[in-house]
Amino acid sequence: MASSLAYFLFSFLLFIPASYGKTSFRPDALVIPVSKDASTLQYLTTINQRTPLVPVKLVVDLGGQFLWVDCEQNYVSSSYRPARCRSAQCSLARANGCGDCFSAPRPGCNNNTCGVLPDNTVTRTATGGELAEDVVSVQSTDGSNPGRVVSVSKFLFSCAPTFLLEGLASSAMGMAGLGRTKIAFPSQFASAFSFHRKFATCLSSSTTANGVVFFGDGPYRLLPNIDASQSLIYTPLYINPVSTASAYTQGEPSAEYFIRVKSIRINEKAISLNKSLLSIDSEGVGGTKISTVNPYTVMETSIYKAFTEAFISAAAAMNITRVAAVAPFNVCFSSKNVYSTRVGPSVPSIDLVLQNESVYWRIFGANSIVYVSDDVLCLGFVDGGANPRTSIVIGGHQLEDNLLQFDLATSRLGFSSSLLFRQTTCANFNFTSNP
Ligand SMILES: *[C@@H]1O[C@H](CO)[C@@H](O)[C@H](O)[C@H]1NC(C)=O
Ligand SMILES: *[C@@H]1O[C@H](CO)[C@@H](O)[C@H](O)[C@H]1NC(C)=O
Ligand SMILES: *[C@@H]1O[C@H](CO)[C@@H](O)[C@H](O)[C@H]1NC(C)=O
Ligand SMILES: *[C@@H]1O[C@H](CO)[C@@H](O)[C@H](O)[C@H]1NC(C)=O
Ligand SMILES: *[C@@H]1O[C@H](CO)[C@@H](O)[C@H](O)[C@H]1NC(C)=O
């Protein structure tokens, strides 16, 4: 009895991997490279799509609702399928309408299809687009290197007209939405490969070395063999009940990632702020979100004013002198008396204080300061005006060389603060494929 059971288990173990390996390899995580465009400061990635596969360059939009690409130019694919009205795909995308197209059929123009609203979040322009599916192929990873290429045969996305590309980096053909919807990249990949609804961004500060986005759980290893997922601090993610998209249907929540900043400290001293701006009201106004389409953090005017005044006086106490502003910044300093440290120039530290006083996201010089010349450095934060939709938008410069993990299932953000402390950077993922 015991021996036949052992035999049964043994053959079972042998049988499963063999057949599994042949038919379908299931990755634990995926990886895509992310570059920084020097002229627009947008973050770009390239995925392969269509049959035959072609590389498609996309602007990474952390809070974007889905993938949208220009189908008006050069979209050739034998595996393109429009989503038919009232199909499961349409309901997954919350696309209720049903449309026809009155010109020659082509990808993006078919009858009896449902439509969504592709959104250029850089220029804040949205338009109608056909929902469709096609093959998408990306590299899997073991957390250390890229592994074999895997495909999702029916990846949902939206077609868009060419004009929607305006304002995006040249050569970009659309935007890659990593937001909270069921058809954004994180959820589609997680459901295609049955892995955790988690993903992590690690943006490089260099325009010549790639950063990385991981889909799935860690490890997220950066050279020299540092698992950046081991140094995360966690804070809840919040859902803004009112969509922040350029166009939307009523009742739709925002696809963006909001956190709760309760106060801000400069050199560990709290600044005085109008606290009601820091929470999201019933109209969806206020609060703090994280964005990859804003190159620098944007603050509502009264917050910006209190923040910059506190920073200037803390800098003065360190003998750092103010000089004339250089646009788009309002606050710049002489680099004299500013020393270099592992985490960038030695300037006052900035803490975004989260759920309680002991949980905070500390921003050091590498993420607060922008060098505009050898002699002048500026505070890399900008004034968002008196009545912005969202009071604080944490932008790209503040995210670079920080690992951020978004866990959709538990609605939680993990953040590492500067990886420079750990003697690595987001450009240190080993993109050399494992043989
Ligand atoms: C959609 O149907 C209309 C009316 O039947 C037709 O004129 C049009 O050519 C069709 N469009 C496409 C893209 O097939
Ligand atoms: C604080 O902000 C809220 C929301 O914008 C505003 O209604 C209120 O007047 C502000 N309070 C002060 C003291 O400025
Ligand atoms: C600032 O400069 C003054 C005068 O030169 C000096 O006494 C003081 O120690 C300096 N403070 C710092 C923090 O370097
Ligand atoms: C602060 O929040 C963290 C995580 O939510 C918790 O573990 C810790 O006990 C809290 N600390 C205080 C002082 O409330
Ligand atoms: C990067 O990965 C490749 C493939 O596993 C390996 O051969 C190489 O040594 C790694 N590079 C470094 C710097 O560790």
Side-chain angles (χ1 to χ4, degrees), residues 251-263:
E252 207 178 300
S254 172
E256 296 193 273
Y257 298 96
F258 284 76
I259 58 172
R260 184 80 201 270
V261 171
K262 283 196 174 160
S263 65

Side-chain angles (χ1 to χ4, degrees), residues 100-106 109-112:
D100 285 344
C101 182
F102 296 95
S103 65
R106 58 163 181 82
C109 180
N110 289 282
N111 277 346
N112 187 32

Side-chain angles (χ1 to χ4, degrees), residues 181-299:
T181 70
K182 289 185 177 147
I183 62 164
F185 277 85
S187 291
Q188 283 205 70
F189 282 149
S191 70
F193 301 112
S194 311
F195 56 59
H196 291 285
R197 285 204 299 144
K198 286 183 186 176
F199 71 102
T201 61
C202 201
L203 303 176
S204 170
S205 53
S206 161
T207 53
T208 54
N210 284 339
V212 55
V213 172
F214 298 94
F215 295 96
D217 210 346
Y220 308 130
R221 270 186 231 287
L222 302 169
L223 294 170
N225 198 23
I226 291 164
D227 179 4
S229 69
Q230 295 302 307
S231 55
L232 298 174
I233 301 167
Y234 296 95
T235 195
L237 285 168
Y238 291 86
I239 294 176
N240 185 331
V242 184
S243 175
T244 45
S246 313
Y248 57 93
T249 54
Q250 208 160 26
E252 207 178 300
S254 172
E256 296 193 273
Y257 298 96
F258 284 76
I259 58 172
R260 184 80 201 270
V261 171
K262 283 196 174 160
S263 65
I264 299 176
R265 296 189 302 225
I266 305 285
N267 265 355
E268 306 195 4
K269 210 171 129 231
I271 62 177
S272 135
L273 301 174
N274 179 347
K275 293 276 157 52
S276 68
L277 293 168
L278 296 178
S279 47
I280 302 168
D281 72 13
S282 58
E283 265 99 64
V285 176
T288 299
K289 72 178 184 187
I290 304 171
S291 164
T292 55
V293 299
N294 289 86
Y296 306 106
T297 294
V298 185
M299 292 171 159

Side-chain angles (χ1 to χ4, degrees), residues 336-405:
K336 204 168 147 270
N337 292 342
V338 178
Y339 309 103
S340 289
T341 72
R342 177 172 287 161
V343 286
S346 61
V347 294
S349 64
I350 299 165
D351 293 340
L352 304 178
V353 181
L354 302 164
Q355 62 267 42
N356 65 42
E357 293 289 314
S358 51
V359 181
Y360 53 88
W361 176 342
R362 181 158 289 183
I363 299 171
F364 296 96
N367 291 107
S368 61
I369 293 297
V370 177
Y371 273 93
V372 298
S373 69
D374 284 347
D375 305 328
V376 178
L377 41 86
C378 297
L379 183 58
F381 289 70
V382 297
D383 186 344
N387 289 299
R389 176 65 196 277
T390 300
S391 303
I392 302 176
V393 181
I394 303 175
H397 187 68
Q398 279 68 42
L399 307 177
E400 290 169 356
D401 293 326
N402 282 240
L403 180 83
L404 298 184
Q405 186 193 51

